[in-house]
Amino acid sequence: MAHADRLPVARLLGGIPPTALVLLGIVSVQVGAAVAKQLFAVVGAAGTVTLRLVVAAVVLVALWRPSLRLDRRTLLVVLTYGAVLATMNLCFYAALDRIPLGAAVTIEFLGPLAVAVAGSRRWLDGVWVLLAGAGVVLLTRVQGGLLWTGVLFALAAGACWAAYILVTAKLGSRTNDGKGLALAMVVGAVIALPFGVSSAGTAIFDPVVLAAGFAVALMSSVIPYSLELEALRRMPPRVFGILMSLEPAVAAVAGLVLLGEHLAPAQWVAVCCVVIASVGATRSARPDV
């Protein structure tokens, strides 16, 4: 009976293996990021974030029709999720405005990798962390390196990403379907709104910009966050963090194909170092984690 009243979207997602949900989310969010970067010239990075979160909030509220009746602990989780979501996206888009997509995601990926090996006492996990760190150092130092402000924003986004993984698991355990996600997206949109308005001005209301923002919201927020939330209901946060190992490679390819952002050969090696570190952590992870 608990599943009989689930919405069709929830039933559809429930029939897809959690690993496939994560992989679909990865592709969606990176293609969305590439599309979003093309909006920066019109509405700025913060304006793009705001447009994305506002549209996503409207779509998710219409889709899930969430109730505002929440107990205190659930409300705290929703508010925390929304704050983390807004901060993560503002930092990531600020990084994306300064460095290539593949580089930004590779550096940001240190966050979920930290979640993957957190609490481990095995020396092999330490090796994977060192390999990932070496990859990021190599990435930032090749051919004059990357703009340091972009690197710092990417690191901040990575810290938020680590928090996002943990908070998403709590949100999934305390809310039904995507209703908690919808409310949290509203919180994130409200937080981002002042930054977006100051950055974009009236340009944010241009019909072409709104259409592009709708596409970005679907690819970068509605689709991946819904997929990840459902996946985290059926897998531990650490396993989820490890499965995100393809993020840097997919981002680099999306940046190359959609934005023409060419990485130097040594930078591709750096991306591979981070991916290999994550795959290594996956293979050495305990089955019960």
Side-chain angles (χ1 to χ4, degrees), residues 16 31 49 51 62 75 77 98 104 130 143-144 165 169 172 179 183 191 203 233 235 240 246:
I16 301 175
V31 172
V49 172
L51 191 60
L75 177 60
V77 172
R98 294 164 172 80
L130 290 175
Q143 293 186 348
I165 292 171
K179 295 174 182 176
L183 291 176
I191 293 174
R233 286 194 175 97
M235 65 171 59
F240 175 85
L246 288 178

Side-chain angles (χ1 to χ4, degrees), residues 40 45 49 89-99 149-150 153:
F40 288 1
V49 172
N89 282 286
L90 287 168
C91 289
F92 176 68
Y93 275 44
L96 199 58
D97 196 27
R98 294 164 172 80
I99 59 179
T149 51
F153 275 121

Side-chain angles (χ1 to χ4, degrees), residues 80 140 232 251 267:
T80 301
T140 59
L232 275 164
Q267 290 177 314

Side-chain angles (χ1 to χ4, degrees), residues 3-287:
H3 298 282
D5 58 350
R6 298 184 77 193
L7 294 178
V9 174
R11 292 197 295 269
L12 175 63
L13 294 182
I16 301 175
T19 301
L21 292 175
V22 175
L23 295 178
L24 288 171
I26 289 173
V27 174
S28 180
V29 77
Q30 297 310 328
V31 172
V35 175
K37 190 166 184 175
Q38 300 179 52
L39 283 175
F40 288 1
V42 181
V43 294
T48 304
V49 172
T50 301
L51 191 60
R52 164 184 162 179
L53 295 183
V54 169
V55 172
V58 172
V59 172
L60 287 172
V61 168
L63 180 64
W64 295 109
R65 302 185 299 277
S67 171
L68 295 177
R69 292 179 294 180
L70 303 173
D71 61 76
R72 184 175 301 178
R73 289 187 178 180
T74 302
L75 177 60
L76 180 60
V77 172
V78 168
L79 292 175
T80 301
Y81 184 101
V84 169
L85 189 66
T87 306
M88 178 177 68
N89 282 286
L90 287 168
C91 289
F92 176 68
Y93 275 44
L96 199 58
D97 196 27
R98 294 164 172 80
I99 59 179
L101 173 59
V105 173
T106 300
I107 296 171
E108 185 193 28
F109 190 72
L110 291 180
L113 184 59
V115 172
V117 300
S120 174
R121 297 182 179 179
R122 292 176 299 176
W123 66 270
L124 190 57
D125 283 334
V127 172
W128 303 132
V129 171
L130 290 175
L131 179 61
V136 171
V137 170
L138 178 62
L139 183 69
T140 59
R141 293 185 178 275
V142 171
Q143 293 186 348
L146 303 171
L147 191 63
W148 69 269
T149 51
V151 173
L152 289 178
F153 275 121
L155 287 172
C160 291
W161 195 356
Y164 163 78
I165 292 171
L166 301 176
V167 177
T168 299
K170 291 185 178 180
L171 184 71
S173 66
R174 299 197 67 88
T175 60
N176 296 322
D177 299 327
K179 295 174 182 176
L181 173 63
L183 291 176
M185 192 67 70
V186 172
V187 174
V190 170
I191 293 174
L193 193 59
F195 299 96
V197 171
S198 63
S199 171
T202 58
I204 202 169
F205 299 109
D206 182 275
V208 176
V209 172
L210 289 173
F214 182 78
V216 170
L218 286 180
M219 290 185 291
S220 297
S221 295
V222 176
I223 294 175
Y225 292 158
S226 297
L227 296 178
E228 291 169 7
L229 184 64
E230 181 63 29
L232 275 164
R233 286 194 175 97
R234 292 184 269 154
M235 65 171 59
R238 180 176 176 181
V239 175
F240 175 85
I242 295 170
L243 284 175
M244 303 296 282
S245 60
L246 288 178
E247 284 272 12
V250 174
V253 173
L256 176 64
V257 174
L258 300 177
L259 300 173
E261 295 177 339
H262 295 270
L263 298 180
Q267 290 177 314
W268 279 103
V269 171
V271 172
C272 289
C273 283
V274 176
V275 172
I276 291 171
S278 299
V279 171
T282 302
R283 292 180 61 87
S284 63
R286 290 189 295 272

